[in-house]
Amino acid sequence: IGDREREEGNSYEYRNNGQLFADIGYNILKHFNLSIYAGYAGYGKENREFPISLRCTYIMSKPHMNSCFVYGDGGWSFGDRESKVASNIFKCGGGYRYYLGAGTNLDFILGVQLANTHPDIYDIDTKTKVTGDKFGASDALQVSINAGMAINF
């Protein structure tokens, strides 16, 4: 004996979430860089995950110069949720890279991110997390605008 509820809907809300990444990359061509990114990120309310992704960046000038760049990124993120389902994440955007010298750059970045996450579900009455046989599925498509800074060396 038990019950399940199905809830669907759309909402638009402001959320302040942070993301912290480390990456390792290689300039595969004069203007193209391929990198693996890993880190810790917030996606919506009380949904923290560990994303890993592959990013391709096109840098519009010669190396060791100030330049604009564009990027595309795709991967997965993993959390500690009951469902153990990986979330898909995709990002694209651009920015401006300041060359600081000695192979070090400071990037200012603006982009769009899509994340198909699977946040925890809480019982409306008891405010406890729904688990086990009462848990069906949890899917949330989140679209966000990201602004950030990065130091590359």
Side-chain angles (χ1 to χ4, degrees):
I1 297 177
D3 60 341
R4 289 187 186 206
E5 291 186 27
R6 180 175 180 89
E7 181 180 317
E8 292 184 16
N10 295 317
S11 68
Y12 300 92
E13 54 193 55
Y14 174 79
R15 287 271 180 231
N16 225 357
N17 287 304
Q19 299 182 348
L20 181 63
F21 290 97
D23 73 280
I24 186 165
Y26 184 74
N27 293 332
I28 57 174
L29 295 171
K30 187 176 182 181
H31 295 279
F32 284 96
N33 178 278
L34 200 57
S35 300
I36 295 175
Y37 277 71
Y40 182 73
Y43 297 104
K45 184 180 179 182
E46 298 178 15
N47 186 16
R48 307 294 174 256
E49 300 199 8
F50 300 94
I52 184 165
S53 61
L54 183 64
R55 176 178 289 188
C56 183
T57 304
Y58 176 74
I59 301 147
M60 297 179 190
S61 75
K62 297 176 184 177
H64 310 299
M65 295 181 66
N66 294 346
S67 176
C68 292
F69 64 90
V70 293
Y71 68 89
D73 184 315
W76 301 270
S77 63
F78 306 90
D80 60 355
R81 295 173 310 282
E82 186 77 18
S83 66
K84 306 292 187 219
V85 177
S87 302
N88 301 312
I89 52 172
F90 304 97
K91 294 179 266 185
C92 64
Y96 194 79
R97 172 169 288 175
Y98 287 97
Y99 178 67
L100 302 176
T104 305
N105 304 305
L106 177 63
D107 293 350
F108 292 93
I109 307 162
L110 185 63
V112 175
Q113 175 175 279
L114 279 80
N116 181 24
T117 65
H118 311 283
D120 290 329
I121 299 173
Y122 292 87
D123 184 279
I124 296 170
D125 298 323
T126 65
K127 307 294 185 217
T128 58
K129 186 165 60 167
V130 178
T131 61
D133 62 346
K134 289 189 176 186
F135 184 82
S138 171
D139 295 304
L141 178 62
Q142 299 178 349
V143 179
S144 60
I145 297 172
N146 296 343
M149 291 175 42
I151 294 181
N152 303 296
F153 48 90

